[in-house]
Amino acid sequence: MEDSIENLPQFNSLMSKLNERLTETGLSKDSADKLETARKSLNEKRKRFLRAVILHQTISDISLDPTFPQQSELSNSLTQAELISSFIVLGKTEKDELRGVGGGGGGEEITTLGLDSSLIPEQRMKPELQKALRESMEERLFEETRSLYSILSNDSELETRRSLLHPHLIRLHDKISELVEEVRRIEGEIKLCNKNLMQAISKQSVVLQSMGEKLNILISKHYAGTKLDATSVQVQYMRAKCETIRLKLSCLELEIKHSTYSKDALKAIRMLKSRLSEKISTAECTLTSLNNTISQYSVVGPEFSNLVVQYSAILKQIQDKKWALQELSSTTPGAI
């Protein structure tokens, strides 16, 4: 720690010198200047190449258009130019490179089938063909740029006159450049927004994870025990409440009995109870004597039953005779 504090001035001096010599990307200023120059040169070469490709494609399309009056002549000229420019000469080989040694040196020119460009006679394009080709190219390029302008333009009513539309088409590359810059700017903003969004999501995920852990602790340690205590207290409360209701019902029952059975009512009930007890005892005695009598009759046998029948018949006859005598005595009072 002490060494780092002692070497801090030298470190600051080193960082200031590096800042003077290097750019933000870590390149030296000379390298950055060379890189910027190379980029500008590359952009210029790209523009020239794109211009050449567009012109070549336009001429190729015109050469295949049967409505062009000089189609065959243009097709032949185009074929000849393509042969001379790229199809015959394929490149050069360097002798030192073939031997595996670096450095410059003369090489052999490679051509298609060993042909030489001098074998093909040079043909100049006629002024009539050049004029017709220029007019056709201008018309095609104008239509292409107008269609591109109609795509990029926000105007609902597009100008149709060529004289008024031509200045807009000349400034079309500026508009495309602005659109490209706008697209790049929007892409940069989208990347920045995505980066900020991912950072916010990561922060929120960390916060949510922490909240989840704390909630688990609250649930497992605090809520569960608190819930158990609350439930036990509620059970005890309900148990005490049920016991209180039972006692209230018992008190209500006793109050109803007390209001129903007063002193006079109890006295009358006791008297009735004693009388009914006496009648029950008398009836039980009578029942016992009758049961004894029935048992005695049962022991005598069936002959006693006949005697009982005869005795009943004799008692009936006696009663009939008594009734007849009473009737006779009432009708003749002086007969006896």
Side-chain angles (χ1 to χ4, degrees):
M1 186 66 182
E2 294 178 355
D3 295 337
S4 61
I5 294 173
E6 291 177 357
N7 297 325
L8 184 59
Q10 290 81 359
F11 180 75
N12 292 331
S13 177
L14 177 62
M15 292 301 294
S16 62
K17 290 180 179 179
L18 289 175
N19 191 19
E20 293 175 358
R21 295 178 178 271
L22 300 179
T23 60
E24 295 180 355
T25 57
L27 296 174
S28 63
K29 293 185 177 181
D30 295 337
S31 300
D33 295 337
K34 292 179 181 179
L35 180 61
E36 185 65 24
T37 304
R39 284 177 178 174
K40 291 180 179 180
S41 177
L42 180 61
N43 291 330
E44 292 296 330
K45 290 180 180 180
R46 283 178 177 176
K47 291 178 181 179
R48 290 196 297 269
F49 174 75
L50 181 60
R51 188 182 298 111
V53 168
I54 293 173
L55 293 175
H56 179 266
Q57 185 64 39
T58 305
I59 295 172
S60 299
D61 294 341
I62 295 172
S63 65
L64 298 175
D65 188 4
T67 60
F68 187 69
Q70 299 172 348
Q71 179 189 5
S72 60
E73 187 177 356
L74 178 61
S75 179
N76 293 330
S77 299
L78 181 62
T79 304
Q80 182 181 4
E82 288 177 349
L83 286 172
I84 296 174
S85 62
S86 59
F87 290 163
I88 292 181
V89 180
L90 300 179
K92 292 183 179 181
T93 59
E94 295 185 1
K95 296 179 180 180
D96 294 337
E97 288 183 356
L98 292 175
R99 295 174 183 174
V101 181
E108 183 181 359
E109 189 179 60
I110 301 175
T111 59
T112 303
L113 299 177
L115 298 176
D116 191 0
S117 59
S118 61
L119 299 176
I120 300 175
E122 183 179 359
Q123 294 181 0
R124 292 185 177 276
M125 188 179 294
K126 295 180 181 180
E128 295 81 6
L129 180 59
Q130 292 180 1
K131 182 179 179 181
L133 180 61
R134 186 182 299 108
E135 291 177 355
S136 181
M137 289 178 65
E138 288 179 355
E139 186 66 26
R140 286 177 176 269
L141 292 174
F142 177 78
E143 293 296 331
E144 292 291 335
T145 52
R146 186 172 65 177
S147 63
L148 183 59
Y149 177 74
S150 63
I151 294 172
L152 297 177
S153 179
N154 296 325
D155 298 336
S156 58
E157 296 181 358
L158 191 64
E159 183 63 44
T160 57
R161 286 180 294 180
R162 189 165 183 172
S163 60
L164 298 177
L165 189 61
H166 190 266
H168 297 285
L169 299 181
I170 292 176
R171 294 192 299 270
L172 187 60
H173 68 282
D174 296 332
K175 191 170 185 178
I176 294 174
S177 301
E178 291 176 359
L179 288 175
V180 171
E181 293 296 328
E182 183 69 17
V183 169
R184 290 177 179 175
R185 184 183 63 81
I186 293 173
E187 288 178 351
E189 291 179 356
I190 291 173
K191 290 181 180 178
L192 182 60
C193 290
N194 291 332
K195 184 178 180 181
N196 295 332
L197 180 61
M198 293 303 296
Q199 291 178 356
I201 290 173
S202 62
K203 290 180 181 179
Q204 290 181 0
S205 62
V206 172
V207 173
L208 289 175
Q209 185 177 1
S210 177
M211 290 176 63
E213 293 176 355
K214 291 180 180 180
L215 287 175
N216 289 328
I217 294 172
L218 288 173
I219 292 171
S220 60
K221 292 185 178 181
H222 301 285
Y223 178 75
T226 306
K227 188 69 176 177
L228 180 61
D229 296 338
T231 305
S232 61
V233 171
Q234 189 174 3
V235 169
Q236 293 177 2
Y237 170 73
M238 295 301 294
R239 187 180 298 169
K241 190 174 181 180
C242 292
E243 183 66 20
T244 304
I245 293 172
R246 189 186 66 81
L247 294 175
K248 285 184 178 181
L249 290 175
S250 300
C251 293
L252 182 62
E253 182 181 1
L254 294 174
E255 288 178 359
I256 293 171
K257 289 182 178 179
H258 181 268
S259 61
T260 302
Y261 302 105
S262 59
K263 291 182 179 181
D264 296 336
L266 290 174
K267 186 176 180 181
I269 289 170
R270 290 192 185 96
M271 292 177 65
L272 290 173
K273 182 180 179 181
S274 61
R275 291 179 182 179
L276 291 174
S277 298
E278 291 175 358
K279 289 182 179 181
I280 290 170
S281 60
T282 303
E284 288 178 353
C285 293
T286 305
L287 180 62
T288 303
S289 63
L290 291 174
N291 289 330
N292 292 331
T293 304
I294 291 170
S295 62
Q296 292 176 2
Y297 287 157
S298 299
V299 173
V300 173
E303 293 83 2
F304 183 74
S305 300
N306 295 328
L307 291 176
V308 171
V309 172
Q310 292 177 4
Y311 177 73
S312 300
I314 291 170
L315 287 177
K316 186 176 181 182
Q317 291 177 4
I318 291 170
Q319 289 178 356
D320 292 339
K321 294 295 184 181
K322 286 182 177 180
W323 180 77
L325 290 174
Q326 288 179 357
E327 291 292 329
L328 290 174
S329 60
S330 62
T331 54
T332 56
I336 297 178

